[in-house]
Every structure is written in structure tokens, then in C-alpha cells.
Amino acid sequence: MLDRIAAELRKPVAGDDALDERIMHAVTARSTARWRRLARWLVRPQQLALAPAVLAVIALAVAGITFAVEHGIREVTSADALSSDHPQLVQFVMVDSSASTVALVGDFNDWDPEATSLAAEGANGVWAVTVPLAPGRHQFAYLVDGEKWMTDRNAPTTRVDDFGKPNSVILVSGSRP
Amino acid sequence: MNWSTLMLVCCVMLIPVSGWAQDERLVRRLDPEVREAVLALIDSAGLDRLPVEPLIDKALEGVSKGAPGEAIVRAVRDLRDALVGSRDALGRDAGEAAVTAGAAALRLGVTQAHLRDVAAGAGGNLAVRLSVLADLVALGVPDDTAATALLALSRAGAVDAQLLELRERVQRDVVAGVRPSVAMRLRLRGFPVSLPPRRDGGS
């Protein structure tokens, strides 16, 4: 009995000539639809169920990667700076007996006129401030009374004047003779 | 849990890691139209691996000085072009500080050939040499004189501090009224430097 069943199962299956063609057509149609299925998946809203602890781990991982990349960029930048990467204290002095306010504005304070004010040193029109500057080449100017841009007579003036108001240049080195 | 969706979300969150496209300083201080044009320039510079902080600085400088939007965009574009020229002259291995200093020198009229000459000097910090070059030219020293002197000095073993000292002394002389090329030659006395002939016709 079992032998007869097994013999029957071992017989080759007889198919018509069009069987191969129908199989290939079905496989091809499925491959084409795969791209459409992917596109539909991308635009279809998805419902996501995650444990809070898993969400926290993912958020920390993303934040950590972002910090590492940005920190890496800053590390490379600071390594390119002149000599040491320690800020140096630099004193800026200007003389203007008619000024009411003097601001130091430069690439080290985002050109923000409100970031660094000079203090009047007595009544003889001397204004001064000391700021830490990273080693490197810096451009700056003084803004007197909120409207008059002045260069530093004791520093080189950049001859490239993009905005009609030239800047002074200071070179801060991390090394000392 | 749909892990495919989760992975897609994580990938999207990681895209803006550089941060310059959303620099808060530009968002806060630039008009939207100007900001869009400036950000396009900064984005292209960043993708080309050029220093972007000098470009951001330039835009902020323009805003502080009350410059019109087109002047700000033009200045950022000019600086970006100078950064490209500096990087082309110094090579892609040059650091950001060197490329930035080289760009400043190019904008003062120094040629790419002179940048390469100064970069050929051995030892020390290239950014220092290029910064001193830019400042000497800004003081009025002819660029070929300044470049030749810096190359010869670095080959003679001058350290960064000595180059900075040279710059300060030439600056003091110029402020005191000495012609820049004269000041440069005076301060180079005693060094084994052969400078090109003077072009200013003075004594």
C-alpha cells in the first residue's frame, strides 16, 4: 500500500506548454510591484510602539553621535590654530576724548556691537578693555557712540574693505619668544 | 515594532549633524532673503570642505555695519572664492587656519605662486607665516618682497615668534612714517635674505 502511494508521488507532474510562461509572468509581475510596494510603504503613516526606555536610549545615541561629530570638527579647527590653543589675554586701547561709548567689535565676538564695551580710563579720553582671544588672525574695529567705526592706529588695517568701513588686524600667537 | 521605520527615522535625525545650515546667529540676524543666499554659499563651501566660519563671520560683519543685502552676499561670495584659491594653492592637506590666512593674503593681491613659495618654507606654523605675509602686504610691503623674505627666513630657521616680531617692528616703523619697503629691508638686515629689487624708487 505504502509502496503504491510512494510510486504515485514520485511520478513527474505533467504540465501544459504554457505553464513555464505563466510562472515567469507571475514572478516578473511580483518584482515590478515590489518597487511600488516600497514607495507606498514610504508615504504610508506608520504606527510605532516602543518602550520609553528604548526611546531614551535611541535619543541618547543620536545626541551622542551629533556631539561627537561637532566636537571632532572643533578639535580639528583648534589644532589648526596658531601654536597653542589656549586663549591669550589681549588689551585693546583707543583714545577719543569726545566719545560717550566705545564698543569693540570683531570676528571674536560675532561682530556684535553689544558684546564687548570698553571702559573709560579716567577723564583723558582713554578707553580700554582686556579680552581673551584664541590664537590666530583676528579682524576688529571700534564702534564709537553706536555709529562711528574706527580702526586701531597701532594695528595694521586690512586693505580689503567689503563694507566701506575698514578693519584692524591683530595676530595672536599662543607661543612667546 | 516596525524596525524599518525606526531605522529610517534615525537616519533622518542624523542628517543635520554639521549644524551650519541652522546657525542660530545667521537665523537671528540676517533678513530671510539675504540669509537664503548666504546659506547657499556657505553650504557649497562646506560641501567642498572649505572653512565656513570665516564666511559666517563675514556675513555677521556686514549686518553689524549696516551693509545692504547684496553687498553682504557679494562679500561672502568673494571670500569663498578666495578660500577656494587659497586651498588650490596650498593643497587639500592645508589646515583651516592656513587656508583662511592664505585667503586673506590673496584678497590683498598676493599671488597663488607667492602663497606656494611661503608654504614651501620648512618648520613653524604655516598659518603664522601666511598671516604675517598678509599683514606685511596690508602694511604696504610689496608682495614679492614679503613672500621672498618669509621664505628665506623660514629656511634660515626663523621661528614663528621671530616672524611675528618682524611684523610688529615693520608695523611700528610704518606707523612712525617709514616707507614699508624701507622698513622691511631695515628689519631684515643681518639675515641671509636676498630681496627682489625695490619698486618704489626711493632711497
Side-chain angles (χ1 to χ4, degrees):
Chain A
M1 171 78 169
L2 283 175
D3 289 340
R4 282 207 298 277
I5 293 172
E8 190 62 33
L9 289 173
R10 286 194 197 103
K11 286 181 185 173
V13 176
D16 60 44
D17 293 339
L19 176 63
D20 284 346
E21 190 180 332
R22 288 201 301 276
I23 290 173
M24 291 310 299
H25 179 75
V27 169
T28 306
R30 185 174 173 79
S31 297
T32 303
R34 191 170 299 148
W35 295 108
R36 289 206 199 96
R37 289 207 307 278
L38 175 62
R40 281 200 293 269
W41 174 79
L42 282 171
V43 300
R44 190 170 59 233
Q46 303 286 337
Q47 191 171 353
L48 195 60
L50 284 175
V54 174
L55 271 175
V57 169
I58 292 170
L60 282 172
V62 171
I65 292 170
T66 304
F67 173 78
V69 170
E70 289 190 355
H71 187 66
I73 291 173
R74 280 199 288 274
E75 284 279 310
V76 169
T77 302
S78 66
D80 289 336
L82 298 175
S83 304
S84 158
D85 56 358
H86 297 298
Q88 305 292 320
L89 289 177
V90 179
Q91 185 183 44
F92 292 86
V93 179
M94 89 156 299
V95 180
D96 188 334
S97 56
S98 65
S100 299
T101 62
V102 181
L104 175 65
V105 192
D107 57 26
F108 40 81
N109 62 9
D110 293 337
W111 296 95
D112 183 354
E114 297 179 5
T116 309
S117 297
L118 278 71
E121 303 287 329
N124 51 1
V126 177
W127 299 79
V129 69
T130 300
V131 297
L133 291 189
R137 189 171 188 272
H138 300 280
Q139 292 194 29
F140 69 97
Y142 300 111
L143 182 60
V144 178
D145 296 336
E147 58 184 21
K148 193 167 60 171
W149 290 88
M150 306 286 292
T151 55
D152 189 324
R153 63 185 298 272
N154 295 313
T157 299
T158 177
R159 295 208 309 254
V160 177
D161 182 8
D162 291 308
F163 306 116
K165 300 174 175 89
N167 301 323
S168 297
V169 177
I170 184 169
L171 201 56
V172 178
S173 169
S175 64
R176 288 285 178 258
Chain B
M1 179 190 305
N2 185 330
W3 284 105
S4 301
T5 305
L6 179 61
M7 292 305 296
L8 181 61
V9 168
C10 287
C11 288
V12 170
M13 289 168 69
L14 283 172
I15 286 174
V17 291
S18 64
W20 73 69
Q22 290 118 35
D23 193 296
E24 187 265 340
R25 297 169 293 174
L26 298 176
V27 172
R28 186 163 40 92
R29 297 173 62 181
L30 287 178
D31 290 338
E33 209 173 285
V34 176
R35 183 169 70 235
E36 188 181 331
V38 166
L39 282 177
L41 290 167
I42 291 175
D43 283 349
S44 76
L47 288 171
D48 200 16
R49 297 185 178 275
L50 291 168
V52 298
E53 189 62 25
L55 300 175
I56 296 173
D57 275 337
K58 181 58 66 178
L60 295 175
E61 178 191 350
V63 171
S64 289
K65 291 181 175 178
E70 60 181 51
I72 295 174
V73 174
R74 184 172 54 243
V76 172
R77 183 181 300 117
D78 289 348
L79 179 56
R80 190 222 31 205
D81 292 346
L83 289 168
V84 171
S86 175
R87 200 262 312 278
D88 287 348
L90 301 175
R92 288 195 170 261
D93 291 337
E96 286 198 356
V99 171
T100 302
L106 286 177
R107 299 194 79 199
L108 288 165
V110 175
T111 64
Q112 285 183 305
H114 285 146
L115 284 192
R116 283 190 284 267
D117 286 343
V118 172
N125 188 308
L126 177 57
V128 170
R129 294 204 297 279
L130 292 172
S131 294
V132 171
L133 172 66
D135 289 344
L136 289 173
V137 173
L139 284 168
V141 177
D143 60 340
D144 55 349
T145 301
T148 302
L150 287 170
L151 173 59
L153 285 171
S154 63
R155 281 180 172 166
V159 298
D160 294 345
Q162 290 174 306
L163 299 181
L164 294 170
E165 183 69 22
L166 169 69
R167 169 199 179 266
E168 285 183 29
R169 291 188 177 187
V170 170
Q171 178 193 320
R172 280 203 293 267
D173 291 342
V174 171
V175 169
V178 179
R179 259 201 297 267
S181 56
V182 172
M184 188 71 181
R185 288 172 189 273
L186 281 172
R187 293 299 174 184
L188 285 173
R189 277 184 186 165
F191 288 96
V193 178
S194 176
L195 295 177
R198 284 180 48 190
R199 298 193 305 225
D200 57 11
S203 59

